[in-house]
């Protein structure tokens, strides 16, 4: 063991710190030609508060096209070392993993850390002086407690495979840690869902929502999330009245839930977990127990206090017991964090670390709720969709992107590569009622590789729009096992995944979102090609003679356009299909 104040190198990994009171030891747990796993132990003779510590290494910039991070959206470009913004990971923000991918979508260098609870900074930046990528992980950036023993594992993967496979391997690795075991996923988390947010915002009416659920159920939807507005008559899109969660607008709550259940739909309510509005009774009760009172929306509860956690848990527990809810949408978890005005630790707190307190809060929430209903669904949205959040949530939703079909597609794919079997949902689909049918359909077809959520007033949209929603919702339900459990691969991350594929048991679904060639490299009994774009026609390149197929084409509202036999011979062919339509190929035997 060597003092951390010195520079320590083992297998090209260097650890640097300004603190002289800790020792470090790097041990190689396993190492082969392509995947390496390291154990890093940091110790002190007596408990002390550590200074920030950085683990760093470099690799040559060979065939690197871009950098994948969990929530970079469209910004997957290479970053130079003079750009000082690093990626932050903690329990409720992102995930401690970065992947460098090649011009051929190959995995070039994927690294991940085992600590998904505490705050870390990570990056991989190119240095122009030597054309190398400098990778790093920094620990103890907001360490509030003294320690004498700290352990972390670092996993580095350079195996030749598609970069998405490297990310899936990281997700499985995280699952191997006892403190990152994901919860089970109930059937209710894997049904198309109706949301009230974009279509109604805070203006909610029981009778209207019951009517909407009756329509939605016939279209293939299985649950509704009643978003902000159920708890207050205030309609200012603010959070001044959060914290009490005593229903004002939907005040016949139990009867309302029963009426929704009568339509055949499951139901969940929205809660902004950290916020305690200044016009709530809870604000007076918990005065002095906030992480900050200077948040742009509302004071933020401090979960380090046991009575704060107890209060929040009781709210969600009573919602299930009193109203028979099936699930909850727990929002704004990422606002549990250290602020510049966060109070110092005091004797009435039972946690020093905010992140550890959040872990305790959410662990107790899900344990309590599952004791009431083992099939309860809990929705989280980006950015709080990392490996730790899989311990408490079974539905991860793409971050808000109303009307942005491309962003919805990208966010679904990014979440899905790390989510394992946790249900991955689209952001709520919405469009203008007077939108052209095929353009409205873009919102739908860009979300079909996740669980679709919709947020339009179904009773008011045009008949053709309704037919389109029904067609693709029924298609998703029919192919649910393929889509949610199949082998998923998104291609060309810097081009926003213009091609996506999911396959299972002899069937493949290909999503074509731009004018690219669809490449087939093996025989499938069933091939569905989603022409998820406004141009007509799909070009297919076959690597071999795959035989005769029955070919059906449909437009976006489910009308069959043609049916004929085609030969998938080696080479290139074009199939005509309408914009946002569907091709279904079945092998003739």
């Amino acid at each position: 063991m060597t003092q951390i104040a010195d520079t320590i190198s083992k297998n090209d990994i260097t650890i640097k710190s300004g603190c002289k009171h800790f020792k470090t030891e790097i041990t190689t747990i396993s190492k082969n030609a392509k995947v390496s796993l390291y154990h890093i132990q940091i110790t002190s003779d007596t408990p002390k508060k550590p200074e920030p510590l950085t683990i760093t290494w470099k690799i040559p910039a060979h065939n690197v096209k871009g950098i994948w991070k969990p929530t970079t959206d469209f910004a997957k470009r290479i970053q130079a070392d003079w750009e000082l913004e690093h990626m932050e990971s903690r329990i409720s923000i992102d995930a401690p993993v970065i992947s460098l991918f090649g011009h051929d979508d190959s995995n070039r260098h994927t690294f991940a850390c085992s600590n998904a609870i505490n705050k870390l900074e990570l990056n991989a930046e190119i240095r122009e002086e030597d054309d190398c990528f400098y990778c790093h992980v920094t620990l103890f950036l907001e360490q509030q407690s003294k320690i004498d023993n700290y352990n972390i594992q670092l996993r580095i993967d350079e195996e030749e495979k598609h970069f998405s496979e490297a990310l899936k391997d990281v997700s499985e690795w995280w699952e191997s840690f006892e403190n990152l075991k994901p919860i089970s996923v109930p059937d209710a988390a894997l049904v198309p869902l109706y949301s009230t947010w974009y279509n109604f915002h805070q203006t909610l009416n029981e009778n209207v929502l019951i009517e909407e659920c009756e329509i939605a159920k016939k279209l293939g939807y299985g649950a509704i999330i009643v978003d902000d507005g159920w708890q207050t008559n205030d309609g200012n899109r603010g959070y001044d009245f959060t914290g009490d969660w005593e229903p004002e607008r939907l005040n016949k709550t139990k009867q309302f839930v029963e009426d929704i259940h009568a339509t055949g739909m499951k139901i969940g309510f929205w809660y902004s977990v950290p916020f305690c509005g200044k016009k709530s009774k809870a604000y007076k009760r918990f005065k002095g127990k906030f992480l900050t009172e200077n948040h742009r929306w509302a004071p933020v509860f401090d979960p380090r206090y046991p009575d704060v956690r107890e209060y929040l848990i009781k709210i969600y527990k009573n919602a299930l017991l009193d109203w028979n809810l099936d699930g909850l949408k727990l929002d704004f978890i990422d606002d549990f964090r250290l602020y510049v005005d966060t109070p110092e630790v005091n004797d009435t707190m039972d946690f020093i670390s905010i992140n550890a307190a959040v872990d305790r809060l959410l662990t107790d929430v899900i344990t309590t709720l599952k004791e009431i209903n083992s099939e309860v669904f809990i929705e989280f949205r980006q950015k709080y969709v990392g490996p730790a959040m899989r311990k408490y949530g079974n539905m991860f939703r793409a971050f808000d992107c109303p009307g942005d079909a491309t962003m919805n597609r990208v966010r679904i794919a990014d979440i899905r590569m790390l989510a394992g079997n946790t249900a991955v949902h689209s952001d709520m689909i919405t469009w203008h009622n007077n939108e052209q049918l095929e353009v409205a359909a873009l919102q739908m077809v860009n979300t079909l590789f996740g669980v679709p959520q919709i947020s339009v007033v179904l009773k008011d949209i045009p008949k053709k729009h309704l037919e389109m929603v029904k067609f693709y919702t029924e298609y998703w339900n029919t192919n649910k096992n393929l889509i949610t459990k199949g082998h998923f691969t998104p291609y060309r991350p810097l081009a926003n995944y213009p091609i996506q594929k999911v396959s299972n048991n002899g069937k493949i679904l290909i999503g074509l979102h731009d004018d690219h060639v669809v490449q087939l490299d093996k025989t499938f009994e069933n091939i569905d090609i989603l022409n998820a774009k406004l141009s007509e026609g799909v070009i297919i390149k076959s690597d071999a003679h795959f035989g005769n197929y029955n070919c059906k084409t449909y437009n976006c509202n489910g009308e069959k356009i043609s049916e004929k036999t085609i030969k998938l011979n080696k080479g290139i062919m074009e199939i005509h299909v309408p914009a946002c339509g569907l091709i279904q190929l079945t092998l003739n035997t």
Side-chain angles (χ1 to χ4, degrees), residues 462-578:
K463 181 181 177 182
K464 288 293 184 183
H465 288 194
L466 205 65
E467 291 173 352
M468 178 269 292
V469 171
K470 181 178 177 63
F471 174 58
Y472 275 121
T473 305
E474 289 183 345
Y475 175 84
W476 192 93
N477 282 322
T478 300
N479 293 277
K480 173 180 174 178
N481 285 339
L482 168 68
I483 294 170
T484 61
K485 297 179 181 178
H487 187 267
F488 172 68
T489 307
Y491 295 87
R492 302 180 186 178
L494 270 175
N496 302 321
Y497 309 127
I499 300 173
Q500 301 181 93
K501 297 180 181 179
V502 63
S503 59
N504 193 18
N505 296 327
K507 181 168 184 175
I508 187 170
L509 167 61
I510 302 169
L512 182 63
H513 302 277
D514 212 336
D515 290 318
H516 292 271
V517 174
V518 172
Q519 186 140 352
L520 296 176
D521 57 6
K522 59 183 289 188
T523 301
F524 288 93
E525 294 179 10
N526 295 280
I527 303 170
D528 287 0
I529 303 174
L530 191 64
N531 184 35
K533 52 189 177 64
L534 292 182
S535 58
E536 300 185 355
V538 169
I539 297 174
I540 300 173
K541 181 182 178 183
S542 301
D543 288 355
H545 298 293
F546 294 129
N548 296 331
Y549 281 79
N550 180 55
C551 176
K552 299 177 183 178
T553 62
Y554 299 85
N555 64 16
C556 66
N557 55 335
E559 297 170 338
K560 190 191 326 185
I561 302 301
S562 67
E563 182 173 2
K564 59 185 178 181
T565 298
I566 64 169
K567 292 184 178 181
L568 280 184
N569 292 328
K570 184 176 182 179
I572 294 176
M573 71 175 301
E574 182 175 6
I575 299 176
H576 182 269
V577 60

Side-chain angles (χ1 to χ4, degrees), residues 298-460:
V300 177
F301 280 119
D302 190 337
R304 295 175 295 178
Y305 290 96
D307 57 333
V308 168
R309 299 197 306 275
E310 182 182 353
Y311 174 76
L312 292 173
I313 294 165
K314 186 176 180 181
I315 286 171
Y316 312 136
K317 175 183 177 180
N318 288 344
L320 261 63
L321 289 174
D322 296 345
W323 303 329
N324 196 27
L325 293 179
D326 303 291
L328 304 175
K329 174 180 177 178
L330 300 181
D331 215 350
F332 295 104
I333 307 296
D334 47 337
D335 284 296
F336 282 129
R337 63 180 179 85
L338 184 67
Y339 296 85
V340 293
D341 58 339
T342 295
E344 293 291 328
V345 177
N346 62 56
D347 292 340
T348 60
M349 298 176 180
D350 60 352
F351 279 91
I352 296 174
S353 165
I354 296 169
N355 293 316
V358 172
D359 184 36
R360 181 75 270 156
L361 168 65
L362 296 179
T363 297
D364 291 346
V365 166
I366 192 61
T367 300
T368 301
L369 298 185
K370 285 180 76 68
E371 286 175 354
I372 300 168
N373 178 2
S374 62
E375 297 295 298
V376 66
F377 67 82
I378 302 294
E379 181 193 282
F380 294 139
R381 65 168 171 174
Q382 284 173 307
K383 292 183 173 181
Y384 37 99
V385 293
M389 302 306 289
R390 294 183 66 199
K391 296 163 56 179
Y392 340 105
N394 42 44
M395 293 167 54
F396 286 171
R397 178 175 64 81
F399 185 70
D400 303 32
C401 49
D404 192 336
T406 303
M407 183 64 84
N408 217 345
R409 173 178 85 237
V410 169
R411 287 175 171 168
I412 291 167
D414 284 343
I415 298 172
R416 184 163 178 176
M417 285 181 278
L418 290 180
N421 70 335
T422 301
V424 177
H425 283 237
S426 73
D427 184 36
M428 295 80 75
I429 307 162
T430 187
W431 62 84
H432 193 282
N433 271 10
N434 295 329
E435 182 62 272
Q436 177 186 336
L437 172 64
E438 291 78 9
V439 178
L442 281 175
Q443 302 294 333
M444 193 79 186
V445 296
N446 272 277
T447 66
L448 294 183
F449 286 83
V451 184
Q453 292 195 15
I454 195 166
S455 192
V456 295
V457 183
L458 295 171
K459 68 181 181 64
D460 292 341

Side-chain angles (χ1 to χ4, degrees), residues 219-341:
L219 296 175
Y221 290 81
I224 178 175
I225 287 183
V226 181
D227 215 292
D228 189 9
W230 66 268
Q231 81 287 358
T232 178
N233 287 319
D234 178 64
N236 292 314
R237 291 266 306 261
Y239 300 93
D240 284 345
F241 293 91
T242 56
D244 294 337
W245 304 106
E246 297 171 353
E248 292 180 350
R249 193 182 301 273
L250 301 185
N251 52 30
K252 298 177 182 178
T253 314
K254 186 174 183 179
Q255 182 61 52
F256 171 67
V257 172
E258 289 179 2
D259 291 340
I260 295 297
H261 282 157
T263 70
M265 299 274 276
K266 303 284 188 181
I267 180 171
F269 278 7
W270 168 91
Y271 290 86
S272 57
V273 179
F275 296 154
C276 185
K278 292 186 177 181
K279 295 182 180 179
S280 69
K281 291 180 290 185
Y283 174 74
K284 297 176 182 178
R285 173 179 171 181
F286 291 102
K287 182 72 174 174
K289 294 185 177 181
F290 299 113
L291 292 171
T292 182
E293 290 202 33
N294 296 313
H295 193 283
R296 59 182 291 197
W297 289 317
V300 177
F301 280 119
D302 190 337
R304 295 175 295 178
Y305 290 96
D307 57 333
V308 168
R309 299 197 306 275
E310 182 182 353
Y311 174 76
L312 292 173
I313 294 165
K314 186 176 180 181
I315 286 171
Y316 312 136
K317 175 183 177 180
N318 288 344
L320 261 63
L321 289 174
D322 296 345
W323 303 329
N324 196 27
L325 293 179
D326 303 291
L328 304 175
K329 174 180 177 178
L330 300 181
D331 215 350
F332 295 104
I333 307 296
D334 47 337
D335 284 296
F336 282 129
R337 63 180 179 85
L338 184 67
Y339 296 85
V340 293
D341 58 339

Side-chain angles (χ1 to χ4, degrees), residues 129-155:
E129 285 82 359
D130 60 4
D131 287 315
C132 286
F133 279 95
Y134 284 75
C135 306
H136 81 259
V137 180
T138 301
L139 316 175
F140 309 132
L141 287 163
E142 59 176 34
Q143 185 70 21
Q144 296 169 294
S145 59
K146 296 178 180 181
I147 62 170
D148 58 10
N149 192 0
Y150 180 90
N151 296 273
I152 193 170
Q153 289 186 21
L154 175 67
R155 186 180 190 275

Side-chain angles (χ1 to χ4, degrees), residues 4 6-17 24 26 38 40 42 52-59 81 86 109 111 113 121-127 130 132-139 152 154 156:
I4 281 186
D6 301 329
T7 296
I8 303 160
S9 295
K10 181 167 185 173
N11 299 317
D12 301 319
I13 295 176
T14 299
I15 298 183
K16 296 180 180 179
S17 174
T24 187
I26 306 172
Y38 303 98
I40 300 166
I42 300 157
L53 177 150
T54 298
I55 307 165
T56 184
W57 64 99
K58 71 175 182 177
I59 60 168
D81 67 346
H86 302 307
H109 188 88
F111 65 94
C113 290
E121 278 188 355
L122 306 87
N123 220 336
E125 306 160 296
I126 196 166
R127 183 170 296 176
D130 60 4
C132 286
F133 279 95
Y134 284 75
C135 306
H136 81 259
V137 180
T138 301
L139 316 175
I152 193 170
L154 175 67
I156 297 177

Side-chain angles (χ1 to χ4, degrees), residues 78-226:
I78 291 171
Q79 183 176 342
D81 67 346
W82 39 262
E83 299 179 79
L84 299 179
E85 290 295 322
H86 302 307
M87 183 188 115
E88 176 186 345
S89 169
R90 53 185 165 86
I91 187 171
S92 57
I93 284 286
D94 273 321
V97 59
I98 291 177
S99 181
L100 287 69
F101 58 87
H103 292 267
D104 53 357
D105 278 8
S106 62
N107 169 52
R108 305 305 301 161
H109 188 88
T110 297
F111 65 94
C113 290
S114 58
N115 193 324
I117 305 293
N118 300 115
K119 179 178 176 178
L120 309 175
E121 278 188 355
L122 306 87
N123 220 336
E125 306 160 296
I126 196 166
R127 183 170 296 176
E128 58 196 62
E129 285 82 359
D130 60 4
D131 287 315
C132 286
F133 279 95
Y134 284 75
C135 306
H136 81 259
V137 180
T138 301
L139 316 175
F140 309 132
L141 287 163
E142 59 176 34
Q143 185 70 21
Q144 296 169 294
S145 59
K146 296 178 180 181
I147 62 170
D148 58 10
N149 192 0
Y150 180 90
N151 296 273
I152 193 170
Q153 289 186 21
L154 175 67
R155 186 180 190 275
I156 297 177
D157 184 350
E158 294 183 319
E159 186 177 354
E160 285 287 339
K161 54 192 169 188
H162 195 272
F163 83 96
S164 66
E165 297 304 307
L167 292 172
K168 293 172 193 173
D169 289 345
V170 167
S171 181
E172 289 186 12
W173 175 64
W174 281 327
E175 289 181 28
S176 70
F177 292 91
E178 194 59 37
N179 71 331
L180 296 177
K181 296 286 186 187
I183 61 170
S184 59
V185 180
D187 291 341
L190 291 164
V191 296
L193 189 147
Y194 181 96
S195 168
T196 64
W197 182 240
Y198 291 143
N199 47 4
F200 295 113
H201 285 99
Q202 293 173 308
T203 308
L204 302 174
N205 177 277
E206 291 99 328
N207 293 331
V208 171
L209 294 182
I210 293 165
E211 182 182 3
E212 286 290 288
C213 282
E214 290 171 343
I215 300 171
K217 181 63 178 178
K218 293 176 182 177
L219 296 175
Y221 290 81
I224 178 175
I225 287 183
V226 181

